[in-house]
Amino acid sequence: MNGFQLYKQYITKAERSQRESADWRYGNLLSMAFYLVGVTRLFDMLEQAETTGCRIGLVYAQASESASPLPCGIELVSSENAANPFIHQAGPAQSLGFTHW
């Protein structure tokens, strides 16, 4: 499958799943990633994730004391970490505005 087909498959599965299920959360994560990094980057990463048995995870900028962390990129997450793909934090060089995708 190509990246578009994988994206469509995961989003459709999320729409049919119960709220807060793993499929629902992953579909929402992919929706956020779509707006964050765009079509080309996301679809390429989905294809890579499919071939390596990984999932997509969000990378967060380090939060200041007064603000919540914001997603700043995506990365491949091993299957063991796929249960909570929202937990990754970027290092100081990858803070918002300086993210290396």
Side-chain angles (χ1 to χ4, degrees):
M1 283 189 192
N2 66 32
F4 172 75
Q5 292 168 325
L6 291 166
Y7 178 78
K8 185 102 168 137
Q9 173 186 318
Y10 287 122
I11 295 300
T12 301
K13 191 182 251 188
E15 289 171 348
R16 294 179 179 161
S17 297
Q18 288 186 338
R19 188 176 182 93
E20 299 300 326
S21 69
D23 289 335
W24 183 87
R25 286 192 306 272
Y26 193 60
N28 281 287
L29 179 144
L30 292 178
S31 292
M32 289 190 310
F34 178 87
Y35 290 105
L36 184 63
V37 299
V39 173
T40 303
R41 179 75 175 140
L42 177 59
F43 291 177
D44 288 347
M45 290 283 287
L46 278 170
E47 289 175 18
Q48 188 177 359
E50 184 74 9
T51 61
T52 59
C54 294
R55 287 269 178 127
I56 301 292
L58 296 178
V59 176
Y60 285 84
Q62 290 183 341
S64 67
E65 291 180 20
S66 62
S68 298
L70 297 172
C72 63
I74 61 175
E75 67 181 358
L76 293 180
V77 179
S78 69
S79 297
E80 298 89 45
N81 296 335
N84 191 357
F86 295 94
I87 60 174
H88 299 69
Q89 279 200 333
Q94 292 181 310
S95 62
L96 243 124
F98 301 99
T99 304
H100 302 284
W101 293 331

